[in-house]
Amino acid sequence: MSLMCAILQALELLLIRNYIPQRSFFIALGHDEEVSGVNGAQKISALLQARGIQLAFIVDEGSFLLDGFIPNLQKPFAMVAVSEKGAINLMLQVNMTPGHSSAPPKETSIGILAAAVSRLEQTPMPNMFGGGPLKMALQQLANEFPFPANIVLSNLWLFQPLVSRLMERNYITNALVRTTTALTMFNAGVKVNVIPPVAQATINFRIHPAQTVQEVLKLAKDIVADDRIQFHVLNAFDPLPVSPSDDQALGYQLLRQTIQSVFPEVNIVAPGTCIGNTDSRHYTNLTTGIYRFNPIYLQPQSFSSIHGINEKISVQAYETQVKFIFEFIQNADADPRPVPHLHEL
Ligand SMILES: CCCCCCCC/C=C\CCCCCCCC(=O)N[C@@H](CCSC)C(=O)O
């Protein structure tokens, strides 16, 4: 929400200054972003495609200036998400004969389903650490760590098993190394003395970039291993492709340049994976450069306020958000050539 307001406010400031852009900018604000984007972003994307428009890159929400997420890393760093996890909403259902609770059967629909979802919760999907943006980010961050972590991260060919285990210890970094399994809904029973005929549970999986919808479904079926349980895929999509982050990647380099200018205290800009889902997945038909970055600091203690209690942003952080977008639009307008990568900041 704050990002949307910041975009509009930055545009207003540009208009007040009679700013006339040289290149075309599209501002796409979907009204249903939190519930799939099917009637907003998906339709905007189809309309742009019908008009023959191709985009140099797009920027959406989905990652931050991360502060305190990795133990021993003293300074914050900017993570620009160049990919995004996939997702499956899977509904499990058990149908049993209803009856009077005074003489219950050995197993009920609720008991069978509860055991199944518990198996899913207790059996994490495999740790997929080993490639993609996360490994690149850790290698870029290596020199920011004190000894011996710097040596460990510079030599992932040797220490990969150790690092992948350490990542599992924290529930946020764990989400970066595997497909996550979240039990989000459970419905059964309408009366205290009736054995219910139907029990339903919904599981929200966020798919690691190295896996697919089909692979995760197969794993889930193998873990549940109970023919009495029906599987209904409510909706699903594979992880998003990885956008370029090399020296020639215009969108990434413009973000890096603007981050360095607006947040001079940040030494490292690294590519990463968005663990949530954004509207940007509806725009893969228009560009291969999709970058997710919200120019605000995020600390682990604020993570739970996203979609949680007392979600907020300080006035100062909001002002910086506006400043970032104001500068980013002008930087993107100034020169269509990628900005050379500076290794020493
Ligand atoms: C190198 C280690 C650092 C690890 C830090 C990771 C921190 C990531 C922090 C935040 C991720 C927030 C994700 C934002 C996504 C916001 C959008 C959103 O909520 N989308 C909904 C929409 C669903 S529609 C299918 C969602 O449920 O994801």
Side-chain angles (χ1 to χ4, degrees):
M1 173 64 93
S2 73
L3 185 55
M4 183 189 74
C5 295
I7 292 167
L8 295 176
Q9 190 145 5
L11 287 178
E12 208 169 303
L13 288 174
L14 288 166
L15 287 172
I16 289 169
R17 286 165 170 70
N18 293 320
Y19 181 74
I20 300 170
Q22 300 303 302
R23 60 155 77 228
S24 302
F25 289 89
F26 295 87
I27 308 293
L29 303 172
H31 62 292
D32 58 349
E33 175 271 322
E34 289 295 357
V35 288
S36 81
V38 169
N39 292 307
Q42 200 167 304
K43 294 223 160 102
I44 297 170
S45 169
L47 180 70
L48 292 178
Q49 186 173 16
R51 291 181 181 171
I53 286 162
Q54 277 293 305
L55 303 172
F57 60 87
I58 77 164
V59 180
D60 200 350
E61 63 173 349
S63 192
F64 304 89
L65 295 151
L66 299 171
D67 186 10
F69 280 88
I70 308 183
N72 295 325
L73 183 64
Q74 306 298 337
K75 286 193 186 162
F77 72 102
M79 196 173 90
V80 174
V82 293
S83 182
E84 175 174 319
K85 291 179 98 174
I88 308 174
N89 285 315
L90 179 66
M91 200 256 279
L92 301 189
Q93 180 166 322
V94 180
N95 292 68
M96 298 289 279
T97 312
H100 198 283
S101 63
S102 57
K106 193 162 171 283
E107 286 182 293
T108 60
S109 56
I110 292 180
I112 293 166
L113 189 60
V117 293
S118 176
R119 281 198 292 283
L120 281 170
E121 195 171 57
Q122 298 302 316
T123 318
M125 293 285 159
N127 185 327
M128 305 300 291
F129 179 81
L134 178 60
K135 197 168 175 178
M136 264 194 287
L138 291 176
Q139 281 162 339
Q140 279 191 34
L141 286 166
N143 290 334
E144 299 289 304
F145 284 86
F147 179 82
N150 56 346
I151 303 296
V152 168
L153 291 174
S154 304
N155 292 283
L156 285 176
W157 60 274
L158 180 61
F159 294 111
Q160 187 165 307
L162 171 70
V163 175
S164 70
R165 288 285 118 68
L166 292 174
M167 298 284 292
E168 287 182 334
R169 285 194 182 172
N170 167 289
Y171 72 103
I172 298 173
T173 48
N174 179 53
L176 288 169
V177 299
R178 61 163 37 90
T179 295
T180 50
T181 305
L183 315 182
T184 51
M185 293 166 73
F186 199 108
N187 297 306
V190 289
K191 204 159 185 301
V192 289
N193 61 350
V194 176
I195 303 292
V198 182
Q200 293 178 328
T202 305
I203 300 115
N204 178 249
F205 295 96
R206 303 290 174 129
I207 307 172
H208 186 277
Q211 286 180 316
T212 63
V213 168
Q214 290 313 319
E215 286 166 356
V216 173
L217 279 177
K218 162 100 176 56
L219 284 166
K221 282 180 184 166
D222 290 348
I223 292 166
V224 167
D226 188 335
D227 290 341
R228 294 168 297 180
I229 295 176
Q230 301 162 23
F231 281 65
H232 301 280
V233 176
L234 302 179
N235 62 311
F237 51 91
D238 282 323
L240 275 289
V242 178
S243 296
S245 57
D246 58 90
D247 285 357
Q248 301 305 309
L250 178 64
Y252 188 85
Q253 294 304 334
L254 284 165
L255 279 169
R256 191 182 54 71
Q257 178 195 12
T258 314
I259 291 166
Q260 286 169 359
S261 150
V262 179
F263 302 97
E265 70 281 12
V266 170
N267 282 357
I268 302 282
V269 178
T273 300
C274 179
I275 59 173
N277 291 118
T278 71
D279 265 358
S280 68
R281 72 182 183 283
H282 297 301
Y283 294 95
T284 49
N285 53 332
L286 301 180
T287 181
T288 52
I290 298 183
Y291 304 101
R292 301 145 191 94
F293 180 70
N294 186 350
I296 51 174
Y297 281 95
L298 183 72
Q299 284 87 18
Q301 57 272 29
S302 330
F303 179 79
S304 55
S305 75
I306 303 178
H307 286 192
I309 296 165
N310 199 17
E311 189 171 354
K312 60 185 180 296
I313 180 170
S314 71
V315 173
Q316 198 198 346
Y318 175 70
E319 277 175 12
T320 311
Q321 232 180 354
V322 175
K323 182 174 188 292
F324 184 93
I325 297 155
F326 181 79
E327 280 200 23
F328 181 73
I329 289 178
Q330 293 175 84
N331 288 342
D333 206 22
D335 189 343
R337 287 169 301 167
V339 188
H341 189 131
L342 300 173
H343 290 281
E344 292 296 322
L345 301 177

